[in-house]
Each structure stands twice: as structure tokens, then as C-alpha cells.
Amino acid sequence: MLSLHAGFSVTGGLIKAVFDNDIDITDTSSGMTTGYLNSSVTGGPAIVAGWDLGLSERWSIGFIASTQGWSGDASYSYLDENNALVNENLTFNLRRNNVSFCPKIHYGNGDNVDLYSGIRIGYVFWSSSWETNDPDFDDFSDFNAGRPNIGLTAFGGRFYFNDNFGASFELNLGAPNILGVGLNYKL
């Protein structure tokens, strides 16, 4: 079974909350405010592609890969080496990717309905790019990192229109999304 989902993530809301605000840029070595960032950000849903292999009527294993991106621009002011105030516009891109192994248990299934729950064990990795002329700009390089993740598919369902095509939804805790809706193709 192949699936393609789009979903809402809490991370997307947090990114907008942080980057749609004014931020003071502080030099970590001196503790002094060296710049000011006023930004706006846009982003889309988490896009998830998945594959499941049925082991029995009750059990399946699967894999997912997802991506979610944000982009924005900012008015940025900073003091140069001569303590002169420099104003510029900068642009940035953020991307969160996830790959996970997903064992599932299936229950209450009929010919055209597949209900399931499961876990997601994987890895989340970030990338970012910033375009600015400030040589001392803290480009939030901490975003360019990764971490293991464990998530829960609390409840999911697939509803088939015919023998092969269907629609689905999932309610998840953890990366890559909280609520997802999608399309499925049963091989």
C-alpha cells in the first residue's frame, strides 16, 4: 500500500510564532544586543509519502518520509565594525525532514475500511539557509541538526472507493504531523 498525506504540524505553528515576531540578536560572547530582526514567514503542510507491507490481517510494517518547509524575509539592522547602523533585507529558508519505521496494528477492518494504530521510530533532520551581508550574523545554525524521534499514530483510517484507491486520515503525536489526510493506493 502506498500513501501520500498532507498534514498540520505543531512545529509549523511554532516556527510562525517565533519568526513572525521581532527578535533582538545578541552576541553570545559579549551578551550585547548587536542586531534586530523583524521577519515574516510562510510555510506549507507536512508532506508525507509512505509505504506499508501487510504481514497479516492484524500487523503491518511501513516506512514514511516527510518534508515541511518555511521561507521568509526580514528587515535586519545591525552595528558594523565601526559601530555604524546598517539596515538590510535578508531572506531565509527552513526545512524539516523525517524518515521513520512504522509498525502498525490493524483492527475493525472490513472490505473497504482499514483502521489502525502504531508507532513511528525515526530521525528528524533540519536544514536552513540565510542570505545576508552581515559577516557576524547568527544564522541559527542550530536548525541544521537532527535528532531521533518516537511518535504515536493514535488512530488512523483508510477508506477505499474500490479495490485499489482510497482516502485516509491519521491522528498522531510527534513528527511529522499531528493531523494528516491523504490518498492511498493498494497494490
Side-chain angles (χ1 to χ4, degrees), residues 158-171:
R158 299 178 186 129
F159 306 94
Y160 291 95
F161 310 124
N162 59 34
D163 288 343
N164 299 99
F165 290 99
S168 61
F169 76 93
E170 285 187 350
L171 179 60

Side-chain angles (χ1 to χ4, degrees), residues 21-26 33-37 140:
N21 290 307
D22 299 337
I23 303 170
D24 289 333
I25 307 296
T26 304
T33 298
T34 58
Y36 179 75
L37 186 67
F140 303 95

